[in-house]
Amino acid sequence: MNVLVYEQLNFIDPLSCHKSAISWQAGMKLHDLVPERIDVPCGLDVICSVNGHEVTDFEAELYRVKPNDAVLFRVVPRGGGGGGGKNPLKMIAMVAVAIVAAYTGQWYAAGLLKAGTITAGSVSVVAGVTTAVVGMAGTMLVNAVLPPDKPTQAGASDVTEDSPTYSWRAANPSKNGSPVAIVQGDCKNVLPFKLSQYISTDGDKQFINALYGVGEGELELSNFCIKGMPVDQYSDVTIEQNSGTANQAPLKGFQDGVYERAVSMKLTHSEWTYFDGEGDAIQSAGFGLSCPSGLYYANDNGSFGATQVQIAIERAPYGTTNWQRLATHTVSAAQRTAVRKFWRFDLPKTRHAYRAKLAVQPPSDATRYVNDVWWEYVQEIVPDDFRHPYTACFALKGLATDQFSGSFDSYRITCNAKRMTAQLPDGNGDLVERSLTNPAWMALELATNPRFGAGLPESRIIVDEFAAAAEWCDSLGISSNMYWDTQADLASAWDELGRFGRFRVIPRGTRYGVISDRPVLLPDQSFIAADSNSLLGSTSIDYLPVKERAEAVEVTWFDPEKGRQILRRHSPHFHQLKTRLPSIAKITLAACNNFESAWRYAGYRLNCNRFITRTIKRTMSVDAASVQPGHVVQAVVRDWNWGESARVLSGSATQITLTQPVTLKKNTPYSLQVKHGSVQNSNKQERIDMADIMPVVEDTVTNKLVLTESLSAVPQVGSVATVGKANDALHLFRVSSIRRTSKNKVEITGIEYAEEVYADDGDLPVVDGDAGNIGARNLTCSVQAVDEDGLHKKLVHLSWQGNAITWRIFVRKVGAGVTPWQLYGTTRNTQITLRGIEDKNFYRIAVSHTDNPADGAVTEVLYDPDVMGTGTIRPLRVIKEDQSGFEPLMYETESGEALQLMEVF
């Protein structure tokens, strides 16, 4: 794989070009291809082009050469013509031609003298004539490459005045069926939904018009960005917005519904170009046409004159041939830049078909006439005042420029949306303002809001339980924000909020309440689950699997500025078992927006893994009706003190013979535990059966045991059995569910309650600045002397430390001529050399890992290559007169801005 390198070093003869093929290497830069020696005198410069595109110094620094690239280096004079000024390249070329002509004339004259055909007195005449002939030939050559300056004339223009033309590509505006987003809290950098898009034309200028729906109003919208940069960094881009009220006015440019589709077909005179409409209630249609290469006639003298084309446009009801002429338009121009036209017509309300052609065959001499016409797009329009009530919207209008043009869908449009409070029921028939950064209040709004929520009346909500959950979230410092932009059912939304807020919304009959996983001072005093109020044999104790419990928790959370973030928290015994890889649980908290809350949540889940091991299930009598899910109750459970073990030799569900004898003390309760190798529980673990052993009246040593109750299955021969003392004790369980099984009977399921779970979640890790040392630190600025492209330059060089994947470099002028922050560029390295910044200006430079310069490290530099030396730029320090230290850092004020005094060391 090669790279083609062209060297055009003779600025007088642009046709003189040296070509070479250089072997491509990974990571190759344009500077690696610069010819070894380019003699660039004062007044000249070196221009680089890649595949026909001229690159700036900044682009050349970032560009990585690709296989089969064509790279051109050419020497040109600095400055340039236009607007009546001088053309320096033409002046230099004419001087060179004059020198060649003079010497050539003398050479011809000498030749004639040697021939002896004329006298010496005729030499001046012959030389003058020959010089004139050669000079005229040289002028013709120069004029072919550098046309002579001409005064501007009506109807004629300079063929070489070919300015760049920027345009927008027509596209379908949006996708149907997307939900209106719901904003809760302060949401940063959201991706709004595009409601409509179309192109408008003002003369030869093209504008993109896009309407975005942000969410259910009323919202506070701010920080509109294009590809992460504020819109005010783009020229000729405007934003108009509505907050989402019921009677808001339509946004300018979107009073009508516009559906735009690309046609992209060249028109001819011989055949019609057809296009079918789609809407069945279209009342207007717009047609966008262009001459992308310009529209002109090339004159002999290098100028070009006006020419014209005639375009016929017709419509017919869809599916018929009743074509009706809408208009025949004549377009006339004398320009090489694109000519654009847009025409709109009122139509009867129906579905339409459209066609267009050139009404008259234009001249076809391709060497003289440029007159190709392309049908770019069709806009079908429904005139109406689209107010979009209750929806916060904004309209973007942008001129097609060098920084903002082409396919609009390639530009990522974001904004901030804020809705901090909502009026929610207080449980007493009134409404009260609640914070929408609290997950419990967010869940309550989704339950009660009649427009986007379930619309449940207050009578079906246990508001006090939501309030208790909200208070628990506040006590833990749990805050959230959510941008609900995908369809979800209410249960899924509640689960998302409850996972982070440590609560669960549950039905309680016909009402909805909340179980909040929080510590309690006392268990429910009205109820104890014991054998006396339980169905005989209905009690079961299950042990949660412990073999594969997570040794670490990995939490995915969402930073308001940086987006998706991941943290991992290890248990105290992480990876102590070296025979296998550590087990890591992965959890996504869509509602979490800060590192501290994510860290504490990971600790809470590790505590659950560590301290919760048992669940209980018991069928109770009607006196369990007072217990509700979420209550912490006392249950009588056997605590097992195991002593001896053996294997099953034989037996049944009520009698077991062991492989070896065990000792039983008189008047002491004993129990048997059997591990069934072939029977599994619902959690796919081997079932463990427990039953009481018939008491003995004398101390006994035996291998034959009689049970007071049946095992759930007959143990297999060889099953492991254990015998030990049993003692009754009260244990705490949190009720997780209650299910009616039969008349006056309910089945209660609970999970072990352990206060250690809530004994905080540990201290936050100590980090330097941002979590994981992501942000830039130790930013150093220096001035370096370099020899590039045959020139000696002094450039500003930055270096820093940090762990971000991509760094953004922002620059702004301070003091006189202050400018806003502008994105200079991005890099993956922790250093960069600044090229292309204007000299004799005071700059403030920020290196940030986000789209916000305020998140980065900042330095200042007065860039004046003529006077500044080389070295590191540091704050100016003056030693005190008594040599005891330094004077305070010094600042000066310019144009109302404090500037720190710096110097080069």
Side-chain angles (χ1 to χ4, degrees), residues 231-313:
V231 293
D232 56 14
Q233 299 294 318
Y234 291 80
S235 59
D236 296 304
V237 176
T238 59
I239 295 288
E240 184 182 354
Q241 61 174 295
N242 280 336
S243 61
T245 60
N247 298 315
Q248 61 190 12
L251 290 172
K252 184 179 179 181
F254 291 93
Q255 294 89 343
D256 300 335
V258 179
Y259 182 63
E260 181 176 272
R261 289 188 297 153
V263 179
S264 302
M265 299 184 70
K266 183 179 177 181
L267 298 185
T268 64
H269 173 64
S270 59
E271 294 181 353
W272 288 97
T273 298
Y274 292 86
F275 191 79
D276 290 337
E278 290 191 349
D280 57 5
I282 302 302
Q283 301 176 51
S284 297
F287 300 83
L289 295 97
S290 72
C291 302
S293 301
L295 184 63
Y296 63 90
Y297 168 77
N299 295 313
D300 292 337
N301 61 1
S303 66
F304 58 89
T307 187
Q308 66 180 27
V309 291
Q310 292 186 16
I311 304 166
I313 302 174

Side-chain angles (χ1 to χ4, degrees), residues 662-666 696-704:
V662 296
T663 301
L664 304 177
K665 298 291 185 179
K666 66 178 181 179
V696 295
V697 296
E698 298 291 341
D699 292 347
T700 304
V701 178
T702 181
N703 66 338
K704 297 185 179 196

Side-chain angles (χ1 to χ4, degrees), residues 198-238:
Y198 69 93
I199 296 171
S200 61
T201 302
D202 183 6
D204 289 336
K205 296 180 179 179
Q206 240 187 23
F207 295 86
I208 190 69
N209 300 267
L211 178 66
Y212 287 90
V214 181
E216 181 83 6
E218 298 178 10
L219 303 180
E220 181 182 336
L221 307 182
S222 62
N223 192 33
F224 301 95
C225 293
I226 302 173
K227 285 190 173 180
M229 290 298 296
V231 293
D232 56 14
Q233 299 294 318
Y234 291 80
S235 59
D236 296 304
V237 176
T238 59

Side-chain angles (χ1 to χ4, degrees), residues 31 174 287 352 713 746:
H31 292 295
S174 63
F287 300 83
H352 305 272
V746 292

